[in-house]
């Protein structure tokens, strides 16, 4: 397994990460959640999503393209500069952006919380309260899509990160009907070309 990255402050690398992510397609977990919504009610209008850790907008842009209202949240201002400069940004009138750290986030009532690869960066001291607020914000029949990182992930050694065993991840999802829960574990490069041992849970879950 690779060691934890040399940088301990992820704030230093987010601008490079956003640049490297430019042009990437939406995450599979988001697309799966959207397919489930459309299968249940293909004609429903006015759905509202919170896109946590929206970054340069790969998921936000897809939600807007499908006519969702979106609150896009990120902790770094570079994310919104890149998102709003995208050539494929549609329906911008449906978009609201908010700069906020995890402990400052206030969730409005919503149909979907999408959290693609961002939750591990919530500090452990805030995670329980943050997760409880996230759950309460999702309407019955709404969904969560995103990732949790496992305890064998290389970044689990970083004390400011939050990682979970498989059992802990399943416990967090008890308020949901689990639609997708896949476990990934392998050595491969990060977006910034660093070799890393990944341990990830990919999740789509429907609020009971």
């Amino acid at each position: 397994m690779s060691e934890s990255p040399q940088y301990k402050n992820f704030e230093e690398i987010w601008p490079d990460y956003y640049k490297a992510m430019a042009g990437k397609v939406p995450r599979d977990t988001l697309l799966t959640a959207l397919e489930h919504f459309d299968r249940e009610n293909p004609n429903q209008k006015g759905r509202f999503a919170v896109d946590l850790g929206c970054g340069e907008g790969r998921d936000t842009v897809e939600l807007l393209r499908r006519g969702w209202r979106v609150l896009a949240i990120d902790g770094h201002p570079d994310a919104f500069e890149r998102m709003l400069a995208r050539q494929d940004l549609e329906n911008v009138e449906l978009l609201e952006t908010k700069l906020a750290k995890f402990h400052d986030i206030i969730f409005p009532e919503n149909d979907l919380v999408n959290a693609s690869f961002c939750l591990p960066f919530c500090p452990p001291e805030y995670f329980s309260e943050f997760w409880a607020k996230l759950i309460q914000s999702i309407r019955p029949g709404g969904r969560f899509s995103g990732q949790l990182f496992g305890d064998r992930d290389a970044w689990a050694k970083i004390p400011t990160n939050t990682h979970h065993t498989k059992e802990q991840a399943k416990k967090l999802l008890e308020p949901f009907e689990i639609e997708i829960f896949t476990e990934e574990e392998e050595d491969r490069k990060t977006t910034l070309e660093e070799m890393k041992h990944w341990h990830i849970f990919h999740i789509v879950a429907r609020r009971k």
Side-chain angles (χ1 to χ4, degrees), residues 117-185:
F117 285 81
C118 69
L119 294 182
F121 303 104
C122 179
E125 62 266 29
Y126 302 127
F127 190 89
S128 293
E129 181 180 356
F130 166 81
W131 185 254
K133 291 191 294 184
L134 183 156
I135 291 170
Q136 290 302 314
S137 74
I138 301 174
R139 300 182 182 106
R143 286 182 169 83
F144 168 82
S145 59
Q147 285 74 29
L148 294 169
F149 279 22
D151 58 317
R152 296 189 296 276
D153 190 274
W155 290 348
K157 301 174 184 177
I158 300 174
T160 53
N161 280 15
T162 299
H163 292 243
H164 299 88
T165 65
K166 186 174 183 178
E167 291 73 22
Q168 289 170 336
K170 289 286 186 73
K171 182 73 173 176
L172 290 173
L173 296 172
E174 286 183 350
F176 299 88
E177 299 169 3
I178 296 175
E179 297 177 317
I180 300 291
F181 188 98
T182 59
E183 185 174 8
E184 175 187 353
E185 187 167 4

Side-chain angles (χ1 to χ4, degrees), residues 63-68 89-95:
L63 286 159
L64 293 171
R65 187 185 70 80
R66 295 179 183 231
W68 284 65
L89 184 64
E90 303 178 26
N91 298 323
V92 69
E93 71 278 4
L94 300 176
L95 173 64

Side-chain angles (χ1 to χ4, degrees), residues 69-86:
R69 292 187 300 115
V70 182
L71 172 60
I73 302 175
D74 205 280
H76 201 291
D78 279 22
F80 305 118
E81 291 181 16
R82 290 188 174 275
M83 180 193 299
L84 295 174
R86 290 180 64 129

Side-chain angles (χ1 to χ4, degrees), residues 28-96:
D28 287 342
T29 41
L30 172 67
L31 294 177
T32 298
L34 296 180
E35 288 168 6
H36 288 188
F37 278 113
D38 288 344
R39 187 167 61 244
E40 288 173 349
N41 190 345
N43 299 314
Q44 184 174 343
K45 306 296 183 183
R47 292 185 179 120
F48 175 49
V50 176
D51 190 14
L52 287 174
C54 60
E56 86 306 335
R58 63 188 289 184
D59 289 346
T60 294
V61 164
E62 179 65 16
L63 286 159
L64 293 171
R65 187 185 70 80
R66 295 179 183 231
W68 284 65
R69 292 187 300 115
V70 182
L71 172 60
I73 302 175
D74 205 280
H76 201 291
D78 279 22
F80 305 118
E81 291 181 16
R82 290 188 174 275
M83 180 193 299
L84 295 174
R86 290 180 64 129
Q87 297 299 307
D88 57 349
L89 184 64
E90 303 178 26
N91 298 323
V92 69
E93 71 278 4
L94 300 176
L95 173 64
E96 179 184 354

